Amino acid sequence: MKGIRMQQRGERHISAALRLAFVALALLLQIAFVVLLALFLQKYMAAIYAVLEIAALIAAIRIYNRNGDSSYKLSWVVVLLTVPVVGFFLYAFWGGNAQRKRIARQHPDTYTEPESAGMRSEMNADKLNRLLPNWSRLSAYLRRRDFLLYQNTCVTYFPEGKLMIEDMITRIEQAEHFIFLEYFIIAEGQIWERLCAALCAKAESGVEVKVIFDDFGSIRRFRGETIEKLRNAGVEVFVFNPVQQYVNRLYFNYRDHRKICCVDGDCSYTGGINMADEYANLIERFGYWKDTGVRLEGEGAWGLTASFINMCRYLGGEFHNERDYYRPHAAVKSEGLCQPFVDGPHNNPDNPAEDVYLQMVSNAKRFLYITTPYFVPDAAMMRALCIAGDGGVDVRLMLPGTPDHWYIDYVAESHFGELLEHGVKIYRYTPGFLHAKSVMVDREVAFIGSANMDYRSFQLNFECGVAVYGMGMIEDLLEDMDGIMDRSHCVTMDEWKSRPWRRRVLEPLLRLIAIWL
């Protein structure tokens, strides 16, 4: 057990260590550059450094005039003007457009749905406009980005990771045609033993099985021998950004953070739940691990299946059946509508995940409940939340009581004062780590997915989710959120003002570099 805990502790610091290593290297280059100037170019040092500052100023002006988030641009401007060598080095790899343009070129063309599917989506939009006119604009925004609006879909809410994983494995064991999995983290353990046995058995029986996992998210928890076992059984395995490739290319900032499971076309899952034992509380990490997800049955399941197909093609996968083979075939009748969607750096600066969050916050009239493990808002999101609070909306933000990354938690807490001043209620989940990513507005619309309320999810990661309109699942989500708040501590202004001095000192510094955390 001690060895497992030590391994888990190491895993928690891998992400931060790699990023800090590159920053440290850049700082060393800055120091070396200054020393060389002092030793060998004393006569011209001032002139050369002035040229660098002018070049940095020009770059900063270009950044400022680019489309995108102002908080993001401010961070780069400060770095470029204060430490130009570091700034140029980091911006060339992480902040410029070169990688995003390359990703956009490599990403396959999005499949165009048949005209009949688009017409059904528009008919569903007319129904939504009659049912919930306040949310027709959100739906129209997503439809303009080719995310169809579906009726005849049963959406089931899972308030715990264990419940969804059990249901998912049962469906996988009953699969007859295909199984698609796409996850940020796949970790060996009790859950994986059951899942692996089911996947191998189905592949050996002729079921088409494809698995995508992010190499960075699964590093040290998913061995090469395990991948080979899957492939020997007939499972097609695709690795998103293999570590040995993307560390060399500095691509590790882009990650496949999606959580998708599709079975036989009629059933799809998404949410915040990865395939690891802590998500079912079979092992303890940061106290009790609270996570949620949904199952889509019927027409709406196709939205997630289609996104998996697109990602698999992007990674070089081939599909030997016609696209209609993977569509839902079982007839489902239900009230309400749903709209699955995905996001990724290939479509920047257009960011559907962030824009969905913003529209849900802005459209709230009575109450707005949000759960997120990471809260690193930009200026627009903070302004929207504060306006909602000032406008009489009951805004409640639910965050972990036991965070997994202290530095991100410091950034989140730095925003508490402003939010509390505007009437936003903030809850810390006392039992442990709240990993659920969900929004519920006015008992009318909800979001469940993989996207956190932070820069990484909105700008760098490949994410997914589903907007749900006027369905019974929203009441289930509301009941669960009420339960979360019952088991949480409500933060007060006096408590926030009396936080330790170390947090007060580090918070503004960490906010400045929040885009790299």
Side-chain angles (χ1 to χ4, degrees), residues 440-454:
M440 190 281 305
V441 185
D442 295 343
R443 303 174 77 170
E444 295 177 345
V445 65
F447 163 81
I448 299 284
S450 65
N452 303 306
M453 289 187 72
D454 65 359

Side-chain angles (χ1 to χ4, degrees), residues 241-259:
N241 268 359
V243 168
Q244 71 273 16
Q245 296 178 19
Y246 71 66
V247 167
N248 292 338
R249 300 176 186 173
L250 298 182
Y251 278 10
F252 70 87
N253 237 16
Y254 299 114
R255 303 169 192 167
D256 185 359
H257 196 247
R258 295 174 186 171
K259 288 90 175 169

Side-chain angles (χ1 to χ4, degrees), residues 165-403:
I165 291 171
E166 289 289 341
D167 189 84
M168 192 180 77
I169 292 177
T170 298
R171 294 293 181 111
I172 286 174
E173 291 173 340
Q174 298 170 353
E176 297 180 354
H177 305 292
F178 67 88
I179 302 165
F180 297 156
L181 298 178
E182 181 179 353
Y183 284 90
F184 178 59
I185 296 175
I186 297 181
E188 295 174 36
Q190 298 178 54
I191 287 174
W192 176 249
E193 288 180 4
R194 296 177 57 196
L195 186 58
C196 181
L199 294 175
C200 290
K202 286 298 176 181
E204 289 169 347
S205 69
V207 174
E208 181 181 0
V209 183
K210 288 180 167 65
V211 175
I212 299 172
F213 71 92
D214 185 277
D215 204 23
F216 192 93
S218 304
I219 193 170
R220 294 183 61 189
R221 305 188 70 183
F222 200 52
R223 296 174 300 169
E225 295 89 338
T226 304
I227 298 174
E228 199 63 29
K229 178 181 177 181
L230 289 170
R231 287 173 172 162
N232 289 339
V235 178
E236 297 179 68
V237 182
F238 302 89
V239 185
F240 184 91
N241 268 359
V243 168
Q244 71 273 16
Q245 296 178 19
Y246 71 66
V247 167
N248 292 338
R249 300 176 186 173
L250 298 182
Y251 278 10
F252 70 87
N253 237 16
Y254 299 114
R255 303 169 192 167
D256 185 359
H257 196 247
R258 295 174 186 171
K259 288 90 175 169
I260 296 175
C261 172
C262 309
V263 181
D264 287 349
D266 296 318
C267 171
S268 293
Y269 299 81
T270 192
I273 301 161
N274 283 297
M275 295 299 104
D277 286 353
E278 60 267 27
Y279 289 83
N281 285 290
L282 297 176
I283 60 174
E284 182 176 328
R285 297 184 68 182
F286 321 112
Y288 188 84
W289 194 293
K290 168 68 174 175
D291 218 325
T292 62
V294 289
R295 181 186 68 216
L296 278 60
E297 296 176 278
E299 295 177 4
W302 172 245
L304 294 174
T305 304
S307 70
F308 177 93
I309 292 173
N310 290 336
M311 176 60 79
C312 192
R313 289 179 57 234
Y314 168 60
L315 298 176
E318 296 182 358
F319 293 83
H320 303 293
N321 296 294
E322 294 293 330
R323 201 172 179 91
D324 287 345
Y325 173 84
Y326 303 102
R327 293 180 182 275
H329 298 289
V332 175
K333 293 292 183 180
S334 68
E335 296 296 325
L337 303 105
C338 70
Q339 202 163 13
F341 65 93
V342 296
D343 196 0
H346 59 279
N347 50 248
N348 283 350
D350 185 25
N351 304 110
E354 181 177 20
D355 291 342
V356 166
Y357 269 93
L358 278 170
Q359 290 192 61
M360 294 183 77
V361 172
S362 301
N363 285 358
K365 294 181 177 179
R366 294 178 295 154
F367 45 83
L368 166 68
Y369 293 175
I370 300 170
T371 68
T372 182
Y374 310 117
F375 182 69
V376 186
D378 59 16
M381 188 66 70
M382 280 294 293
R383 187 64 181 155
L385 288 168
C386 291
I387 289 174
D390 285 341
V393 178
D394 183 4
V395 183
R396 305 191 182 195
L397 177 64
M398 291 160 253
L399 302 173
T402 305

